Amino acid sequence: MIQAANISLRLGKRALFEDVNIKFTEGNCYGLIGANGAGKSTFLKILSGVIEPTSGDIIITPGQRLSVLEQDHFKYDAYTVLDTVIMGNQRLYEIRNEKDALYAKEDFSDEDGIRASELEAEFAEMDGWNAESDAENLLNGLGVDNQYHYQMMSEIPAAIKVKVLLAKALFGNPDILLLDEPTNHLDLDAIAWLEEFLINFENTVIVVSHDRYFLNKVCTNIADIDYGKIQLYAGNYDFWYESSTLMQKQRKEANKKKEEQIKELKEFIARFSANASKSKQATSRKKALEKIELEDIRPSSRKYPYIDFRPQREIGNDVLFVSNVSKTINGKKILDNISFNVNHDDKIAFVGGNEAAKTLLFQILMGEMEPDEGDIKWGVTTSQSYFPKDNTKIFDNDLTIAEWLTQFSEIKDASYVRGFLGRMLFAGEEGVKKMRVLSGGEKVRVLLSRMMIEASNVLVLDEPTDHLDMESIAALNTGLQKFPGVLLFSSRDHQIVETTANRIIEIMPDGTIVDKVGTYDEYLDSDINARKRTVYNTAEDEENDD
């Protein structure tokens, strides 16, 4: 059990948390949600002891071990991958090292023997003999191939480090597990494995995530941060959304009835307060009026952008023809003789663990890279808008958001362009922000603004949910569902893939594809045995990308 008792945190004059009281108990998984800037990650740091609150206490059941998903990708560069994972149980790691050091001594004494015996007993009690195999099972489950297990952390790609640090947090059955955005940079296979792990985890989990499907799968409770308070709801994310919406509606309706009652009482008092025969009744009404209190209903701090892709031109039957496309990078064949045609009503999700292959295919489709072999042909009625995974070069300029976006608009009127920015939460002075100073989430919203203003009938999106908050992801999900044109996209967000795609193309480890019509869940069900494959790690490609 871990409990926050009267926790407050002030940053200058701003109170981020005010008298928060909440208890997280064993056997439950708590989804910690809230708008950007509400303090989700900060609250996890308070729980873990990284940040001291201004006032209040964090209470943990004595003897319980707390484990945290760390964000520093360079902290363990001097250690092997397996050692890093085992360090998830620091005491076990220390016992193993001390024990090994004793046995390596040439002048092994009686005292050393007694100490080694004590360590062996504690090591066995902590199931230390299975530590390496347990660590390997976690790594394999997350898609970290055996070839990396004995490498130094400094030698492996950044995408693999993310998985190793997650395995470290999960290692050794911690009593309390704190996870801040654990699905970030994980492919859908690894996310599915993590979901099953947490569903079967019997201790306390507190997780921050922008993945609604993930929260619905793993959470038994939702802890909602809004205006410095944390409200606890039983159930998963969808239950929280329905419950909180209903509660807000009920409060508004109750206030409306009270306002009507207040109006009637005031009218009676005004009419009869000077009337001697009605004076007692007027006095009674005054007392009743004083007792009526309207509930202080603050609007949520969450802000939802409005995402609506409206193509300027209707698309024809001939959309895209991909014929025998192959591409080799640094001697490794990433795409191998790929062929597929796109129809005018297709919404295609490109899936699979080979992240580099999906990005490479999109770059070839958009003319940013030439294939070694094969042809790409777009239909004459098509117009394409592209959301690239790497947008670094796009924002390397001194233009304001409004100036940059105007370049892509047929209508150069400032108010017209500002309208698109306003929908994406860049109102007023936000529209004159410089491109190069934007945050990750702001960059994504700017690129989506461009896609809206271009009014194309084909959208190509490579991981558009990276850096977005949950509200923006929900708005994007709605916008993609409503879009009447063709979609070609990849996303780690299961819910977007499931609710948007009507066709799935998986790029296999050998660079070939599996192409099936249907939803993502239907694809998983139909292909369940084939998916029990070794997860493909594109380490060399990722190193080159870095």
Side-chain angles (χ1 to χ4, degrees), residues 17-31:
F17 297 107
E18 197 72 52
D19 294 325
V20 169
N21 289 280
I22 188 169
K23 183 186 293 186
F24 303 99
T25 57
E26 186 176 320
N28 289 304
C29 178
Y30 299 85

Side-chain angles (χ1 to χ4, degrees), residues 141-142 163 166 182-198 209 211 213-214 217-218 491-494:
L142 288 167
K163 295 181 176 183
L166 179 55
T183 63
N184 273 6
H185 309 295
L186 294 187
D187 56 74
L188 288 168
D189 288 332
I191 293 172
W193 180 89
L194 178 60
E195 287 166 359
E196 289 303 313
F197 181 93
L198 294 180
S209 176
D211 189 326
Y213 182 89
F214 177 77
K217 284 278 285 187
V218 305
S491 176
R492 299 185 186 94
D493 190 290
H494 187 119

Side-chain angles (χ1 to χ4, degrees), residues 259-456:
E259 286 169 351
E260 290 172 354
Q261 189 179 359
I262 288 170
K263 183 181 177 182
E264 290 174 1
L265 289 171
K266 285 182 176 179
E267 287 176 351
F268 185 92
I269 294 166
R271 285 178 61 194
F272 298 110
S273 58
N275 188 320
S277 63
K278 297 282 187 177
S279 62
K280 286 186 178 181
Q281 293 180 40
T283 302
S284 175
R285 297 293 198 280
K286 284 181 181 178
K287 290 180 180 179
L289 181 62
E290 291 169 359
K291 292 179 181 179
I292 298 175
E293 292 183 4
L294 293 175
E295 189 172 352
D296 182 21
I297 303 174
R298 299 183 73 176
S300 174
S301 59
R302 292 175 172 83
K303 294 181 180 179
Y304 290 83
Y306 179 71
I307 300 177
D308 187 20
F309 304 104
R310 297 184 183 182
Q312 195 172 52
R313 180 181 183 182
E314 190 173 340
I315 200 165
N317 290 325
D318 295 337
V319 179
L320 174 64
F321 303 92
V322 178
S323 304
N324 308 117
V325 166
S326 296
K327 185 70 178 180
T328 298
I329 302 289
N330 294 332
K332 193 181 192 77
K333 184 161 273 192
I334 307 301
L335 301 174
D336 187 7
N337 198 35
I338 287 178
S339 296
F340 61 91
N341 296 335
V342 177
N343 304 309
H344 73 280
D345 57 353
D346 278 343
K347 309 283 191 294
I348 305 176
F350 291 81
V351 303
N354 194 344
E355 299 285 322
K358 288 179 281 187
T359 294
L360 183 60
L361 177 59
F362 289 150
Q363 288 172 331
I364 291 172
L365 295 181
M366 297 307 297
E368 292 190 352
M369 192 172 289
E370 290 294 323
D372 297 333
E373 301 171 13
D375 297 302
I376 301 293
K377 183 180 179 182
W378 287 99
V380 294
T381 64
T382 64
S383 55
Q384 304 89 34
S385 286
Y386 179 39
F387 183 103
K389 189 173 186 178
D390 182 4
N391 54 47
T392 308
K393 292 181 181 178
I394 294 174
F395 292 90
D396 187 17
N397 63 75
D398 292 316
L399 297 175
T400 67
I401 301 172
E403 290 169 342
W404 181 83
L405 189 60
T406 302
Q407 301 174 102
F408 305 96
S409 175
E410 287 189 6
I411 302 172
K412 303 301 181 182
D413 180 65
S415 60
Y416 177 78
V417 174
R418 286 292 187 97
F420 282 89
L421 290 173
R423 295 177 200 171
M424 298 303 289
L425 309 180
F426 293 107
E429 294 301 312
E430 292 287 309
V432 296
K433 273 188 174 180
K434 295 286 188 180
M435 291 283 284
R436 66 171 72 253
V437 303
L438 298 179
S439 68
E442 287 173 330
K443 288 178 179 179
V444 174
R445 286 189 276 122
V446 166
L447 291 177
L448 293 174
S449 298
R450 182 183 72 176
M451 298 184 85
M452 287 193 290
I453 209 166
E454 286 177 330
S456 301

Side-chain angles (χ1 to χ4, degrees), residues 435-495:
M435 291 283 284
R436 66 171 72 253
V437 303
L438 298 179
S439 68
E442 287 173 330
K443 288 178 179 179
V444 174
R445 286 189 276 122
V446 166
L447 291 177
L448 293 174
S449 298
R450 182 183 72 176
M451 298 184 85
M452 287 193 290
I453 209 166
E454 286 177 330
S456 301
N457 52 28
V458 179
L459 303 183
V460 181
L461 304 104
D462 191 1
E463 300 294 348
T465 62
D466 285 359
H467 307 294
L468 285 183
D469 59 24
M470 201 175 297
E471 292 71 40
S472 296
I473 291 173
L476 176 60
N477 199 163
T478 301
L480 294 178
Q481 285 177 290
K482 289 165 55 181
F483 179 60
V486 167
L487 285 177
L488 308 176
F489 72 101
S490 68
S491 176
R492 299 185 186 94
D493 190 290
H494 187 119
Q495 190 159 334

Side-chain angles (χ1 to χ4, degrees), residues 69-81 84-85 139 142-145 148 151-169 182 184-186 537 539 542-543 546:
L69 173 58
E70 296 183 75
Q71 307 296 329
D72 185 350
H73 294 180
F74 304 101
K75 183 175 179 180
Y76 300 96
D77 276 1
Y79 302 92
T80 67
V81 166
T84 300
V85 175
L139 290 168
L142 288 167
V144 179
D145 194 81
Y148 296 113
Q151 283 189 240
M152 302 300 291
M153 286 287 283
S154 59
E155 298 171 353
I156 66 174
I160 305 299
K161 281 187 177 182
V162 170
K163 295 181 176 183
V164 175
L165 292 177
L166 179 55
K168 175 182 178 293
N184 273 6
H185 309 295
L186 294 187
N537 292 302
E542 289 170 28
E543 286 175 327
D546 291 340

Side-chain angles (χ1 to χ4, degrees), residues 31-233:
L32 191 62
I33 66 171
N36 270 3
K40 301 183 291 294
S41 297
T42 301
F43 189 70
L44 285 188
K45 289 175 181 177
I46 292 172
L47 291 176
S48 66
V50 173
I51 292 178
E52 284 289 326
T54 306
S55 59
D57 299 293
I58 299 299
I59 303 164
I60 298 176
T61 302
Q64 291 200 337
R65 184 168 69 86
L66 183 145
S67 184
V68 180
L69 173 58
E70 296 183 75
Q71 307 296 329
D72 185 350
H73 294 180
F74 304 101
K75 183 175 179 180
Y76 300 96
D77 276 1
Y79 302 92
T80 67
V81 166
L82 269 180
D83 279 353
T84 300
V85 175
I86 294 171
M87 274 188 248
N89 188 335
Q90 189 63 32
R91 178 57 185 158
L92 176 64
Y93 180 75
E94 290 170 355
I95 291 171
R96 190 193 70 168
N97 286 357
E98 186 180 351
K99 184 165 63 75
D100 290 347
L102 284 172
Y103 290 138
K105 289 177 69 173
E106 292 184 3
D107 54 343
F108 190 81
S109 65
D110 291 341
E111 289 79 6
D112 292 332
I114 293 170
R115 179 57 180 161
S117 177
E118 293 171 348
L119 293 171
E120 290 286 7
E122 191 174 354
F123 191 70
E125 187 178 337
M126 299 177 78
D127 200 24
W129 295 110
N130 292 319
E132 284 202 8
S133 62
D134 289 345
E136 287 181 339
N137 287 337
L138 288 172
L139 290 168
N140 289 333
L142 288 167
V144 179
D145 194 81
N146 290 340
Q147 64 176 305
Y148 296 113
H149 292 187
Y150 292 94
Q151 283 189 240
M152 302 300 291
M153 286 287 283
S154 59
E155 298 171 353
I156 66 174
I160 305 299
K161 281 187 177 182
V162 170
K163 295 181 176 183
V164 175
L165 292 177
L166 179 55
K168 175 182 178 293
L170 303 178
F171 178 77
N173 195 37
D175 300 291
I176 301 161
L177 183 56
L178 306 183
L179 302 174
D180 191 357
E181 299 290 3
T183 63
N184 273 6
H185 309 295
L186 294 187
D187 56 74
L188 288 168
D189 288 332
I191 293 172
W193 180 89
L194 178 60
E195 287 166 359
E196 289 303 313
F197 181 93
L198 294 180
I199 288 169
N200 295 312
F201 189 73
E202 296 180 349
N203 299 328
T204 305
V205 183
I206 306 170
V207 58
V208 171
S209 176
H210 62 252
D211 189 326
R212 297 157 297 160
Y213 182 89
F214 177 77
L215 293 177
N216 278 330
K217 284 278 285 187
V218 305
C219 290
T220 60
N221 297 269
I222 295 294
D224 179 27
I225 303 178
D226 214 352
Y227 290 111
K229 301 292 185 182
I230 302 182
Q231 178 71 40
L232 196 61
Y233 295 81

